[in-house]
Amino acid sequence: QVQLVESGGGLVQAGDSLRLACAASGRTFSSNAMGWFRRAPGKDREFVAAISWNGGIKYYADSVKGRFTISRDNAGNTVYLQMNSLALEDTAVYYCAADRSSRRNPSRLQSEYEYWGQGTQVTVSS
């Protein structure tokens, strides 16, 4: 069974940091691009960050550039999202996803991802 499980969400104050993790099981995604997306209350799910299979290429949404960092540990089959300087507008359910194919460049498009986690809640208060 292929499964992605996000963890690390919680309630924090504006300016604080969180580190999200996405652990994969059932198969290895060490050769697949991975992405993070989020859905804020009342909004559609949007792109946050993506990383290539070897970590050489990283994409970020403009709204998180300079604050968020995506990384991965292929040996542990895990992708991370370090979130610094969190703001109220970062409040959302955060999802990780795996590219449907191996060794492709990462994508900002949700349609390019085959496997999705259930999400972890991040709530930022003032």
Side-chain angles (χ1 to χ4, degrees):
Q1 180 182 0
V2 176
Q3 189 173 26
L4 301 177
V5 180
E6 302 93 338
S7 63
L11 174 63
V12 298
Q13 296 182 24
D16 285 354
S17 298
L18 280 175
R19 190 191 193 201
L20 306 183
C22 173
S25 62
R27 61 157 288 180
T28 178
F29 289 101
S30 60
S31 296
N32 298 66
M34 302 288 292
W36 284 97
F37 298 81
R38 68 186 182 187
R39 187 190 299 275
K43 302 293 182 63
D44 291 333
R45 190 164 59 191
E46 66 177 2
F47 170 77
V48 176
I51 186 170
S52 62
W53 71 277
N54 62 356
I57 303 173
K58 298 177 181 179
Y59 295 147
Y60 296 96
D62 289 342
S63 59
V64 307
K65 285 182 179 177
R67 299 189 298 121
F68 291 10
T69 303
I70 188 170
S71 62
R72 65 190 302 162
D73 173 16
N74 285 343
N77 213 18
T78 303
V79 63
Y80 302 94
L81 185 68
Q82 178 67 44
M83 305 185 295
N84 298 328
S85 301
L86 284 163
L88 267 60
E89 53 264 37
D90 295 316
T91 294
V93 177
Y94 284 72
Y95 303 88
C96 72
D99 195 305
R100 66 179 71 253
S101 299
S102 65
R103 304 186 73 178
R104 300 200 304 174
N105 287 335
S107 176
R108 299 173 177 87
L109 303 177
Q110 298 182 46
S111 61
E112 296 300 302
Y113 296 86
E114 178 72 17
Y115 306 98
W116 293 81
Q118 293 296 108
T120 185
Q121 175 70 230
V122 173
T123 302
V124 184
S125 67
S126 60

